[in-house]
Amino acid sequence: MKRPTHLLSIMLLFALVAIPVTAHAFTVSGVGAKVGYASPQDLSSTAMVGGHVELEQGGTRIHLMPNVMYWKTNDVSNVNPNLDLYYHFRPEGTVTPYLGAGVGLDVNHFDNTDHTDTNFAANVMGGVRIPGGGTTTSSRAG
């Protein structure tokens, strides 16, 4: 009974190695800064700052967006790194709705007790992408 299973495993391994795999690399398509307002529970409201990098997979409508946000108030600081993925429904360069999801961490540090709490976070997002004027094409009259 071991022999047919062993032979099947070897055949499966050869089949997986023989299948050509195309690398689909993500390239940087944008970077940005964020400024916002946070109102943490039981703490004073404060400004928050952050940034993101947008990575695009050529020929697809899929984008990865690693980002981080930071705020500090009442001897409590918060760092929130996230990795989000979203999909836009219409071609690049057009106004298009998008949906996405991601994962992150919520890291609170309490200065007065030198204690840190870390929690897992899940993100769900949606909106409308509006193209900027960054890329243009030109044509020459001949």
Side-chain angles (χ1 to χ4, degrees):
M1 192 65 145
K2 282 186 174 181
R3 201 164 187 105
T5 306
H6 185 67
L7 184 59
L8 185 59
S9 298
I10 292 172
M11 289 173 52
L12 180 60
L13 179 64
F14 278 115
L16 289 174
V17 171
I19 297 171
V21 177
T22 306
H24 296 287
F26 284 84
T27 58
V28 175
S29 62
V31 296
K34 299 177 182 185
V35 177
Y37 180 78
S39 183
Q41 185 175 359
D42 300 328
L43 298 172
S44 299
S45 299
T46 186
M48 74 180 153
V49 296
H52 71 272
V53 176
E54 190 161 342
L55 304 169
E56 182 178 2
Q57 190 176 34
T60 72
R61 297 178 184 177
I62 298 171
H63 296 253
L64 283 176
M65 193 164 32
N67 59 85
V68 66
M69 296 297 289
Y70 172 82
W71 58 259
K72 182 173 182 164
T73 187
N74 302 103
D75 294 326
V76 177
S77 59
N78 176 275
V79 176
N80 190 296
N82 296 284
L83 178 61
D84 299 324
L85 179 134
Y86 72 91
Y87 176 85
H88 57 91
F89 294 93
R90 299 205 40 188
E92 195 69 40
T94 62
V95 175
T96 177
Y98 69 88
L99 289 175
V103 295
L105 293 176
D106 185 38
V107 182
N108 289 305
H109 181 75
F110 302 88
D111 292 339
N112 56 356
T113 61
D114 199 32
H115 177 72
T116 301
D117 284 337
T118 303
N119 297 301
F120 180 75
N123 307 321
V124 178
M125 69 195 84
V128 176
R129 282 177 48 111
I130 300 172
T135 57
T136 59
T137 58
S138 62
S139 60
R140 294 184 186 186

